[in-house]
Amino acid sequence: MVSDVTIITAIYGDKYDEFIPGWQASVGSLIDKPARVMCGTDRPRDIDAEILISQSTFKWRSPYYWNYCAERTDTEWIWILDIDDRIRPDATQGLNEQTCDIWLMGMSINGREDYYPPRLTNEQIGSAGHCYFCCSTPIRRSWWQRNPYRDLAFTDWAMWRTSAKLGADFEWSNKIGYDYRHDFTNSMSGWADADDNNRLAVLAL
């Protein structure tokens, strides 16, 4: 079965190519295959995906490339999957049947802890002082067109916060969708979190 979704990743600079083989192996293991797979990048890469080359105009390059790819696909859903994360084989199963705008995934953190996003109202999501949802979560493309990723360090949190305020229909998948590599170089677990201005930029939305 094919899921009407585009899996999107971004690679830029010189630090992330080592993660390509594991990333594409995980995407290749999906039981319900994605209709499209895209990589937004600053130069040619050896990756099994549609390669879209551009130079970022954002301070924070990941959301630029996510938007760049999302603009150029035609599937019902988009699904951001960072190059150092690994999607689970059953992650896309059931996606075609969803009627929501955002289908929230759980994640396994370094293979040691499973995290499931809590059930919150839109009012709670839009006012919370912390991000409770996982970046690698499918979003209906028509919703993304209304509310694209912002040029912020915590662009995924900004997506959930503003989407809630705009009245998005959230649904919980109640499953672990991917394996998340947690270390200091990841924005939500290190350097970006150390600068409170990044958090305040989201809370201002």
Side-chain angles (χ1 to χ4, degrees):
M1 184 174 179
V2 174
S3 289
D4 194 6
V5 62
T6 302
I7 305 293
I8 294 172
T9 198
I11 313 175
Y12 42 83
D14 303 314
K15 296 181 179 179
Y16 301 104
D17 291 80
E18 64 179 290
F19 298 108
I20 291 174
W23 184 91
Q24 62 188 16
S26 75
V27 173
S29 75
L30 285 166
I31 298 167
D32 288 0
K33 304 301 183 186
R36 301 180 73 173
V37 180
M38 289 183 164
C39 174
T41 182
D42 55 357
R43 63 175 184 266
R45 307 277 177 172
D46 184 13
I47 184 171
D48 187 12
E50 298 175 52
I51 298 174
L52 280 67
I53 299 173
S54 181
Q55 302 307 313
S56 175
T57 59
F58 281 13
K59 174 183 177 181
W60 305 98
R61 289 175 286 182
S62 286
Y64 170 85
Y65 286 113
W66 299 348
N67 286 340
Y68 191 82
C69 291
E71 287 170 1
R72 289 158 177 79
T73 193
D74 56 0
T75 53
E76 184 67 23
W77 296 87
I78 60 169
W79 192 322
I80 305 304
L81 181 67
D82 282 344
I83 196 65
D84 56 347
D85 294 337
R86 305 290 177 258
I87 199 164
R88 293 285 181 91
D90 67 341
T92 53
Q93 289 189 304
L95 180 59
N96 287 347
E97 288 73 48
Q98 300 306 310
T99 59
C100 56
D101 300 309
I102 298 171
W103 196 38
L104 295 164
M105 287 287 139
M107 63 182 177
S108 175
I109 305 170
N110 286 351
R112 296 194 299 266
E113 175 188 355
D114 288 349
Y115 175 81
Y116 292 90
R119 288 186 174 270
L120 303 171
T121 65
N122 278 36
E123 182 179 359
Q124 291 171 322
I125 298 166
S127 61
H130 301 280
C131 181
Y132 291 104
F133 298 160
C134 305
C135 180
S136 188
T137 278
I139 299 171
R140 197 173 294 276
R141 184 170 178 267
S142 58
W143 185 263
W144 167 85
Q145 289 174 313
R146 181 177 176 184
N147 190 34
Y149 289 101
R150 290 164 170 78
D151 187 6
L152 295 172
F154 298 143
T155 191
D156 53 335
W157 181 16
M159 169 64 76
W160 316 139
R161 184 178 175 88
T162 56
S163 291
K165 291 184 175 184
L166 290 169
D169 181 8
F170 291 87
E171 188 53 72
W172 283 254
S173 68
N174 300 315
K175 64 179 175 180
I176 300 299
Y178 68 109
D179 296 290
Y180 170 66
R181 189 180 71 89
H182 183 284
D183 70 8
F184 186 82
T185 63
N186 287 343
S187 65
M188 287 301 288
S189 51
W191 50 269
D193 206 33
D195 184 350
D196 200 46
N197 288 324
N198 292 324
R199 178 173 171 274
L200 293 175
V202 177
L203 293 176
L205 296 173

